[in-house]
Amino acid sequence: MSNIIGITMGDPCGVGPEITVKALAEMSPKDRDATRIYGNLATLEAAREALGLTLDLKPFVVDLPVEGAPLAWGTLSPVAGDAAFRFIEKAVRDAEANAIGCIVTAPINKEALNLAGHHYDGHTGMLRSLTGSTAAYMLLASERLKVIHVSTHVSLQEAIRRATTERVLATIRAGDAHLKRIGYDSPRIAVAGLNPHCGENGLFGTEDDDQIAPAVAAAKSEGINVEGPISADTVFHRAYSGGFDLVVAQYHDQGHIPIKLVAFDTAVNVSVDLPIDRTSVDHGTAFDIAGRGIANHGNMNSAIAYARKLVAGRDETRNAS
């Protein structure tokens, strides 16, 4: 398997090109040689100029055409949305062919993506479609808090419908397998409740008793070290304080809010259960500051470090077998 990390530069009008170039410039020569950027060279060179850097980008770029590049920074554009899709599509095909070992994605703009005719709810849905996967889970990882989601980019009403026993159990299994892969022998997993106080014995809803508790019981019977459902107003504090290694959140905001509170600049978005590996920054395109050379690339560095950990862990597992 390849040890090369493939970074997709994201929306050409956003901060993705800048944070990608910044991260590349700071790498050791060895890490730089094990990095490829899937994007547009003219756009990346414009970002490099905005940053005042002199690094030769050409050897590290898989250059894909973008009409009119470089496009105006900070603009919503279907041309940019289509380009962002093509960068990801090419990286996925190369990952499937083992030309790269993990994809790291810079931010895309969902509106631009949809204007270009690519109707996805975000990276995870797009990657699931491109790889033909039946499921993929969003895991947000920081040093002291990790969260995996039963559902993500859907309405709250739809999220409640999706909190089925089968789906919650599948999410627990996916989280357990991922943490074992990155070095946890027996991950301590907590499952957050859906309703206030897990429904208070049916007073505030029965979903926790009828749907979530059976999933936890089934996971326990499989040998997974899991507890729950636990009231969402306490479980994240308990995990952050060291009580759990991973929390299963029932919907997008339930998991995203605590992570963004404690690790806004460092949390990494990881796609779990895809046939390829992918990590991502956990922020948007920041059109308001794009092209000014001031975007913080710390989150990109964290996503790249996690990707290298995944590649190294896979190699260690293969060598041990």
Side-chain angles (χ1 to χ4, degrees), residues 166-183:
E166 294 75 19
R167 194 177 183 98
V168 173
L169 176 57
T171 308
I172 296 169
R173 287 170 175 159
D176 180 66
H178 182 78
L179 261 64
K180 285 176 177 173
R181 182 180 165 194
I182 62 172

Side-chain angles (χ1 to χ4, degrees), residues 24-275:
L24 186 75
E26 289 184 359
M27 289 178 191
S28 67
K30 179 182 177 182
D31 283 346
R32 200 177 296 144
D33 286 341
T35 303
R36 297 292 178 272
I37 300 172
Y38 289 77
N40 174 255
L41 183 58
T43 302
L44 290 161
E45 287 179 337
R48 182 192 61 197
E49 291 173 10
L51 293 164
L53 298 173
T54 58
L55 176 67
D56 181 12
L57 299 174
K58 195 170 183 179
F60 310 104
V61 176
V62 179
D63 186 20
L64 298 170
V66 176
E67 183 180 353
L71 302 174
W73 298 114
T75 58
L76 180 68
S77 162
V79 174
D82 181 63
F85 173 80
R86 289 186 289 109
F87 303 154
I88 296 162
E89 183 180 42
K90 173 61 174 168
V92 166
R93 300 305 170 225
D94 282 2
E96 289 175 329
N98 295 326
I100 57 175
C102 185
I103 299 172
V104 179
T105 56
I108 57 175
N109 184 284
K110 297 181 185 69
E111 187 176 355
L113 194 71
N114 279 270
L115 286 172
H118 303 294
H119 301 297
Y120 301 101
D121 62 354
H123 270 115
T124 306
M126 187 195 309
L127 291 165
R128 187 171 59 243
S129 175
L130 287 171
T131 58
S133 302
T134 56
Y137 303 90
M138 181 187 291
L139 186 149
L140 299 181
S142 67
E143 185 176 350
R144 291 178 58 180
L145 182 62
K146 294 178 177 61
V147 179
I148 191 169
H149 299 73
V150 174
S151 66
T152 50
H153 296 129
V154 295
S155 71
L156 187 54
Q157 189 175 58
E158 176 62 19
I160 293 168
R161 281 195 291 266
R162 294 191 184 193
T164 63
T165 300
E166 294 75 19
R167 194 177 183 98
V168 173
L169 176 57
T171 308
I172 296 169
R173 287 170 175 159
D176 180 66
H178 182 78
L179 261 64
K180 285 176 177 173
R181 182 180 165 194
I182 62 172
Y184 292 79
D185 290 333
S186 180
R188 299 166 299 161
I189 300 174
V191 178
L194 178 66
N195 295 304
H197 307 293
C198 298
E200 202 82 73
N201 294 319
L203 187 62
F204 309 132
T206 62
E207 290 88 355
D208 293 278
D209 293 334
D210 296 344
Q211 297 162 213
I212 298 171
V216 175
K220 282 184 177 179
S221 73
E222 296 175 5
I224 296 175
N225 185 4
V226 60
E227 294 182 31
I230 300 172
S231 183
D233 61 1
T234 61
V235 69
F236 296 99
H237 174 72
R238 290 175 61 183
Y240 185 74
S241 300
F244 300 103
D245 302 310
L246 177 69
V247 178
V248 175
Q250 299 300 327
Y251 53 93
H252 182 282
D253 283 12
Q254 188 185 62
H256 276 61
I257 289 171
I259 279 280
K260 288 183 181 290
L261 177 65
V262 302
F264 189 84
D265 292 324
T266 57
V268 177
N269 184 330
V270 186
S271 294
V272 176
D273 249 21
L274 288 172

